[in-house]
Amino acid sequence: DPIKQAEAYLYGRGVPQDCERALSILKGEADKSNARARSALGSMYATGHCVSRDLPTAYRYFALVLRTDPENGVASQNLESLWKQMTPPERQAATKQ
């Protein structure tokens, strides 16, 4: 499972932590519309784990999760939380296509 492999690299579980490798795997899977990869990337950008903290990018990844899984309550809650944390310019950046 590529997501489990990415998480192993992300957190150093059984392998040395390798943020670049984890990011590469997750972005590849996100490009294939993998909701778990998109959610993981959203979490990474929301918290700044292995990447620079970027709330608009996090918001966009969670919005993509909802496009493929509209009933995903966790992604919906994350979107709402991020929206409340963002400044008006960040909100504008988050909703640009």
Side-chain angles (χ1 to χ4, degrees):
D1 175 18
I3 305 305
K4 285 185 181 179
Q5 182 184 19
E7 289 174 347
Y9 286 116
L10 197 59
Y11 301 108
R13 292 185 189 139
V15 295
Q17 184 180 28
D18 187 336
C19 292
E20 291 302 317
R21 193 173 223 174
L23 197 57
S24 175
I25 294 168
L26 290 172
K27 284 187 175 182
E29 290 300 307
D31 288 345
K32 298 176 190 173
S33 299
N34 184 312
R36 285 176 52 216
R38 289 173 170 176
S39 185
L41 286 164
S43 294
M44 288 172 66
Y45 283 102
T47 62
H49 181 79
C50 281
V51 293
S52 295
R53 190 167 190 244
D54 183 337
L55 299 183
T57 298
Y59 186 92
R60 284 192 297 274
Y61 275 115
F62 285 122
L64 288 171
V65 171
L66 289 179
R67 283 189 192 166
T68 55
D69 184 8
E71 302 300 317
N72 189 315
V74 172
S76 185
Q77 288 175 343
N78 286 332
L79 274 181
E80 187 177 327
S81 175
L82 285 167
W83 190 259
K84 289 177 183 176
Q85 293 175 55
M86 288 189 291
T87 64
E90 287 176 320
R91 288 177 179 174
Q92 187 175 22
T95 56
K96 275 189 178 174
Q97 289 297 329

